[in-house]
Amino acid sequence: MPTAEQQVLAEAILRHRPFSLPVAIRRALAAAGEYVPPEEETQLQQYADSIDIDMVPDGYRYVSRNRVPLLGLGPLEVFAEPGNPQLLTRCAVWYGVEAQAEWHRRGGA
């Protein structure tokens, strides 16, 4: 079961990618009905700076903080419907040690 931190990070990275991580986190929190008070902006920036996001060539992203695996986000291709050759790209999410195992399986160092 993902933690609140993992859920917010996954939402921020998946749905608010064009933005910097602090802005993406703020937007993900706003979508959930939460907000970051102005006096906590420095803490948000420090938190975002502590997040490491690594990627392997196939697009899998491994997210950790202080070397603790938080989540992995990877492209997952599925067929539109049985018998239809059209592929749709979806995103799969792994949490914690499963994210780290998937990272190594895909060739991450």
Side-chain angles (χ1 to χ4, degrees), residues 13-37:
I13 294 167
L14 288 172
R15 306 220 187 282
H16 306 284
R17 257 189 263 183
F19 300 98
S20 67
L21 189 56
V23 172
I25 292 170
R26 194 176 309 108
R27 291 174 65 97
L29 288 169
E34 302 288 334
Y35 75 101
V36 177

Side-chain angles (χ1 to χ4, degrees), residues 3-109:
T3 65
E5 176 185 20
Q6 291 168 325
Q7 289 175 330
V8 168
L9 279 171
E11 178 73 17
I13 294 167
L14 288 172
R15 306 220 187 282
H16 306 284
R17 257 189 263 183
F19 300 98
S20 67
L21 189 56
V23 172
I25 292 170
R26 194 176 309 108
R27 291 174 65 97
L29 288 169
E34 302 288 334
Y35 75 101
V36 177
E39 62 271 11
E40 293 180 10
E41 283 293 324
T42 301
Q43 288 176 308
L44 174 64
Q45 184 63 50
Q46 290 170 342
Y47 173 77
D49 289 345
S50 75
I51 299 294
D52 291 317
I53 302 174
D54 293 310
M55 191 166 72
V56 291
D58 75 354
Y60 180 82
R61 289 175 174 81
Y62 175 64
V63 182
S64 63
R65 184 167 54 86
N66 300 326
R67 298 185 186 174
V68 175
L70 294 173
L71 57 109
L73 305 161
L76 179 68
E77 292 184 336
V78 295
F79 289 101
E81 45 189 63
N84 184 340
Q86 181 184 6
L87 282 175
L88 303 174
T89 300
R90 300 287 186 253
C91 194
V93 181
W94 292 262
Y95 296 101
V97 294
E98 286 140 5
Q100 188 175 40
E102 184 66 15
W103 169 249
H104 290 297
R105 189 186 74 74
R106 291 180 183 239

